Amino acid sequence: RVVSVGGRRFLVDLSSLGLLHFSSTGEVRVAQDAANGCQFAVKLVSCEGSDTSHASEEEEVALRHPAIVETIGVWQSDDALLRVYVTELCTGGELLDSLIESGNGMDEQLAKRHIRRAVSALFYIHARGLAHTHLRPCKVLVDAAGCVKLSVAGCLGRAADLGTAEQAVRAALSTGVFAAPELLALAEAGGEGLAAALGEAQRRTDAHVAKLPAGSLGPC
């Protein structure tokens, strides 16, 4: 399959070897730039039944941060039922897979570096009026250098749109077992007070990162 984004053509590998990730709403595959053969990742997402609170293509493509997977462009089918995100390829896979494969958790210092990078990425996103709506370990990818990067393709919403109880419940439940127990309890109870709780958690995270010295992101 060929996908054209921003005047560039990408050849999507539809074979079993080209499949990187699969979920109920879509899949991630390897693709090649037809002009130079460089590899990228493409996320194919079904738009059926999706909400309209997601960030715009321009907002997502404009994000530039060392701990965020770069989105090259977005393509949507004529019938608006399929959206394709072309992103940089992180060859180290998902952090979740690394945790499962190790079987012994993670070194504390390495965990601190990973968390600092992920939180720095969230701070950058929040500062632009956006929020990550599906935050969990499988959304944290590892690049060839061993650095973690937050995957945001199709996972960004406008913070102002997530203030309703309905949107807050959807965001909390989408993270499954990785959501804080108190947030899940509020979601299962109908969402009353959940939006405020999510907003407070975001403010506390941002306040903590704002106190870090400049350049403290450090090596990965």
Side-chain angles (χ1 to χ4, degrees), residues 148-184:
V148 297
K149 293 189 173 185
L150 191 62
S151 174
V152 299
C155 301
L156 290 178
R158 296 184 185 88
D161 294 337
L162 298 174
T164 67
E166 179 183 357
Q167 291 287 358
V169 168
R170 182 180 294 129
L173 294 180
S174 71
T175 59
V177 297
F178 300 107
E182 60 271 25
L183 296 183
L184 283 177

Side-chain angles (χ1 to χ4, degrees), residues 53-72:
S53 64
H54 54 75
S56 69
E57 173 185 337
E58 292 76 15
E59 289 173 311
E60 186 162 319
V61 172
L63 296 180
R64 290 292 184 274
H65 187 278
I68 292 179
V69 178
E70 181 180 349
T71 299
I72 309 302

